[in-house]
Structure formats: C-alpha cells, structure tokens
Amino acid sequence: MYVCLCKGITDTQIRTAVSDGASSLREVRAALGVASQCGKCGLLARQIVRDALGET
Ligand code: FES
C-alpha cells in the first residue's frame, strides 16, 4: 500500500530499504525521500520502519 502519497512510496519500498541496511526513519528518508514533503506519512512510515526492524 502507499504510505507516502507525496513521493509515491509504498510500505514494501520502506521494508526493502530497511533490509538493504537502513536502520531508522531518517535513513529511510535519505534513501527514498519518504516523509520529506508534507510529513503526514511520518508516523506511519516510522511504525513500518520499526516493524521491519523487529522493534514493535
Ligand atoms: Fe509523505 Fe506527504 S505523504 S511527505
């Protein structure tokens, strides 16, 4: 599903970025640009990053 509409980024892309080595929302943002415009997706994006890291 789409997490970030501004950038057209899906939860799958976020999980892939984590498995490629990103270990925080900040790093996923640097890699994908998620949550870099309106910021509304930030909370959900952070939850997905935490889930992908096994921290939920
Ligand atoms: Fe992600 Fe706007 S929906 S920055």
Side-chain angles (χ1 to χ4, degrees), residues 18-36:
V18 171
S19 60
D20 284 348
S23 59
S24 65
L25 178 60
R26 181 187 301 236
E27 289 180 13
V28 173
R29 184 192 294 134
L32 299 178
V34 66
S36 63

Side-chain angles (χ1 to χ4, degrees), residues 2-19:
Y2 278 105
V3 174
C4 178
L5 294 179
C6 292
K7 294 290 190 173
I9 292 165
T10 64
D11 60 329
T12 305
Q13 285 174 277
I14 293 174
R15 289 175 191 280
T16 300
V18 171
S19 60

Side-chain angles (χ1 to χ4, degrees), residues 29-53:
R29 184 192 294 134
L32 299 178
V34 66
S36 63
Q37 281 194 19
C38 75
K40 281 182 189 163
C41 59
L43 213 60
L44 178 56
R46 185 187 305 274
Q47 284 173 1
I48 292 168
V49 171
R50 287 206 180 133
D51 181 60
L53 290 168

